[in-house]
């Protein structure tokens, strides 16, 4: 971009002309990700989660960061990804159901461990998110779907109406609907240009049979 930083929105390169007095001619081909736009409401998503995590880490010098805070009523602490071996990169903060404490997931969460949810039934996840960067989250920062299925939560969550100062801890709740089959979603904060930063938030659900049916079958 104009500041010399990597911009996930486009891949483009060119070389200087050998003779500066001559006109420069070049051909550029831009690939538009229509399916990505439909699903994520943005073209600024890396192709896979490992690349996305690395890209966010590479942009940490921008000063934007966000981490999930655990609060047990006595003390507050960060979920520290340094305990994850590099071989299992990327890492996520896995958000459970109502009342469940967020946990650190080193690598993708195995489908067998996904939380059972009744298809069509609403559920929510609540957590504390802190600005652990060196500058405020800009006005217009949103929760943005980076991978998976939205499960009923808007692909771009409600925007913050004002800057969020460094050190601020805010409570957030996301409301979903149980999918007809297994599904997961990966969310992150994103700046007004939809460029992601901070922790990747993982939510999962696998279809659970209604209790009445389980009893009848047994």
């Amino acid at each position: 971009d104009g500041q010399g930083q990597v911009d996930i929105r486009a891949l483009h390169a060119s070389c200087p002309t050998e003779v500066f007095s001559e006109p420069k001619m070049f051909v550029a081909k831009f690939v538009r990700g229509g399916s990505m736009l439909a699903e994520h409401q943005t073209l600024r998503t890396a192709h896979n989660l490992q690349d996305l995590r690395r890209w966010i880490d590479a942009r940490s010098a921008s000063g934007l960061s966000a981490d999930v805070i655990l609060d047990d009523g006595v003390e507050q602490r960060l979920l520290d990804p340094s305990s994850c071996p590099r071989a299992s990169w990327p890492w996520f903060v896995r958000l459970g159901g109502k009342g469940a404490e967020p946990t650190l997931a080193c690598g993708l969460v195995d489908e067998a461990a996904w939380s059972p949810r009744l298809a069509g039934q609403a559920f929510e996840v609540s957590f504390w998110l802190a600005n652990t960067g060196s500058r405020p989250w800009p006005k217009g920062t949103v929760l943005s779907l980076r991978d998976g299925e939205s499960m009923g939560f808007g692909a771009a969550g409600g925007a913050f109406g004002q800057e969020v100062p460094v050190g601020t801890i805010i409570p957030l709740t996301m409301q979903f609907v149980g999918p007809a089959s297994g599904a997961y979603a990966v969310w992150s904060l994103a700046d007004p240009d939809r460029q992601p930063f901070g922790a990747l938030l993982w939510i999962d659900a696998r279809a659970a049979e209604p209790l009445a049916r389980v009893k009848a079958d047994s």
Side-chain angles (χ1 to χ4, degrees):
D1 62 14
Q3 286 71 48
Q5 300 298 313
V6 173
D7 187 342
I8 200 171
R9 291 175 292 181
L11 181 62
H12 173 72
S14 61
C15 301
T17 56
E18 293 183 2
V19 181
F20 291 101
S21 61
E22 297 296 323
K24 178 179 179 181
M25 300 178 66
F26 64 91
V27 176
K29 179 179 181 181
F30 292 90
V31 179
R32 301 297 180 184
S35 60
M36 186 180 293
L37 177 63
E39 183 175 357
H40 300 281
Q41 299 301 304
T42 175
L43 296 176
R44 304 174 174 88
T45 302
H47 292 297
N48 61 64
L49 292 171
Q50 191 164 21
D51 286 347
L52 177 61
R53 180 68 265 168
R54 287 171 176 160
W55 188 85
I56 292 175
D57 291 343
R59 286 193 71 233
S60 61
S62 71
L64 289 176
S65 187
D67 287 286
V68 173
I69 298 290
L70 296 182
D71 188 344
D72 59 10
V74 178
E75 63 176 356
Q76 295 176 332
R77 59 185 176 87
L78 293 173
L79 280 172
D80 183 10
S82 63
S83 60
C84 290
R86 296 295 299 187
S88 64
W89 221 243
W91 59 272
F92 307 90
V93 174
R94 186 185 181 199
L95 303 176
K98 188 175 182 178
E101 189 174 78
T103 57
L104 184 67
C106 299
L108 303 178
V109 180
D110 189 271
E111 188 171 347
W114 290 1
S115 303
R117 310 284 185 189
L118 291 176
Q121 187 173 85
F123 69 95
E124 65 181 30
V125 296
S126 298
F127 55 101
W128 295 86
L129 199 61
N131 182 347
T132 53
S134 59
R135 66 185 179 95
W137 299 342
K139 179 181 178 181
T141 294
V142 297
L143 277 167
S144 180
L145 179 66
R146 312 316 300 186
D147 193 45
E149 300 180 23
S150 64
M151 290 186 278
F153 191 81
F160 292 95
Q162 58 188 17
E163 286 190 347
V164 177
V166 173
T168 300
I169 302 174
I170 57 176
L172 291 175
T173 296
M174 302 172 71
Q175 297 179 331
F176 301 95
V177 176
S181 58
Y184 73 92
V186 176
W187 297 77
S188 77
L189 286 188
D191 65 20
D193 290 327
R194 295 297 190 271
Q195 303 220 38
F197 64 89
L200 293 176
L201 309 174
W202 176 286
I203 298 96
D204 54 57
R206 59 180 173 84
E209 293 189 17
L211 184 61
R213 180 178 173 181
V214 172
K215 288 183 176 179
D217 291 345
S218 60

